[in-house]
Amino acid sequence: MAGSFEEVRIMKNSISIFWRKRSDFYKIRLTKCLECGKVSFPSRTKCPYCGSKNVRIVEASGKGTLVNYTVSYYRTEDSDELQPRIIGLVKLDEGVIIPAEIVDVDPDSLRKGLRVEAVLRRLKSDDPFGLIYYGLKFSPVLK
Amino acid sequence: MDRPEGKTGIIGWGVYIPRYRLKASDIAKLWGFDPTTPSSLGIHEKAVAAVDEDSITMGWYAASSAIKRAGIKPEKIEAVFVGSESKPYAVKPSGTVIGDALGVSRKRLTTDLEFACRAGSEAVRLVVSLVSSGTIGYGLAIGSDTAQANPGDVLEFTASSGAAAFVIGPAEDAAARFEAVVTYVTDTPDFWRREGSKYPMHGEGFTGEPAYFHHITSSVNLLMEETGLRPEDFDYAVFHQPNGKYPLRVASKLGIPKEKVLPGLVTPWIGNTYNASALIGLSKVLEEAKPGQRILVAPFGSGAGSDAMSLIVTDKASARVNEAPTVEDFLSRKTYIDYAEYAKSRHIIWRNWG
């Protein structure tokens, strides 16, 4: 915990960047190309496959399957309490593979093919008095 | 009975109980309590939120399940009220984060409510009033807490984490329609947390008779007086659950047999989830009740007050049960942790980066 005035007033993260991109932190937004029909991640104005600007942003259902994962013991200030971190590749039910943090599962019981769902969690925070940043991680599905 | 609340009902419900559990016997052993303390409180274990969870994240999950069961688009929700005594921010509404993350209409009423453990219940009352008056079509009432307890305090056996949420709307679409709702409130010094204090304090002998029992029996008796209903008219009774014993004792005082209370009693296995306590119990009952059955719900909050609600289950409830995880799903999903992991998760200890 920080103590002095100088320490507590410092914001490590950019509030403005988070605010502008909050829709992408709260939802999994995909880019659907209306020309070639392919779906990609993240949301953008141009199809990465055919270059068409004729795209529509669509929301993913939030459910998917764990394709692969790694367990990271590398410690950063933001990951202080949540160690080790599990970083996975999740194949969404819409067919797109995205990188995502996996939570609520013991590293020893991880397996490829695990069904997972997007859950809102604390991503990081400017402790002790700054902003808390929320976003989606993935957890094993309950139903 | 021709009451305004009769125009409204629960369209969808949802809960969230964290995966992690701490056994009450571990707390007793660590702090040197009499080993019979957990059984005297009627508590086996409690749910513990993970380090990246708080009342906003849990409230979001419960609310998203409630919306799935309601089968409506989030844009149709015109109010989000969050009852909590463990807001992540002292000033910055939880309801704005939850509402935007759910995709709820931005033309919405949103506020956080505080009334110890009954703020979520007050949220239900407010949404019922707004829907019955025609001000809004649908509203979301959420109760969510990561309850705090001073390490070594007897409250630590029960203070736990969880959330419940309800989409409330017109009675015609309801899984359970409101029949009557009343509230009884007094100034009672049974439990409080001062500004800047990390943990609450409790007024020793005030917590039982002058607080919990007086307010719940008063609100339920008021409901009976105003409606003409009698204890035998109810098929289920759900009360605030600060421990595993009080709900059974207050039922006995009201002449309600324990068989009507046990189906909605969850505290022995998840602890006291504060603003979600009675509301998770109500959700569990909604997942097993039959059409036409009547449910009595009486949440309680220190300070103190109690609401008494009568609901009648409709034939739409059963089809919505499996649209989202049930209370039983959450009760059976659990991973035990030790006190050290609990202390880290609930920020009782911090890593010193020195």
Side-chain angles (χ1 to χ4, degrees), chain B residues 27 47 65 138 158 292 303 343:
Chain B
I27 299 172
S65 291
Y138 296 92
T158 50

Side-chain angles (χ1 to χ4, degrees), chain A residues 80 104 117 122 132 134 137, chain B residues 19 52 54 61 89 353:
Chain A
D80 193 14
D104 277 357
E117 65 178 338
R122 292 165 82 123
I132 302 166
Y134 293 91
K137 300 179 182 180
Chain B
R19 171 183 291 268
D52 60 348
D54 60 25
Y61 194 105
Y89 292 97
W353 274 80

Side-chain angles (χ1 to χ4, degrees), chain A residues 107-140:
Chain A
D108 295 335
S109 62
L110 273 172
R111 56 179 171 79
K112 295 174 187 176
L114 183 73
R115 288 286 292 163
V116 291
E117 65 178 338
V119 291
L120 189 74
R121 293 295 172 98
R122 292 165 82 123
L123 297 181
K124 51 192 175 180
S125 60
D126 284 328
D127 289 331
F129 301 129
L131 203 68
I132 302 166
Y133 299 87
Y134 293 91
L136 297 175
K137 300 179 182 180
F138 278 78
S139 169

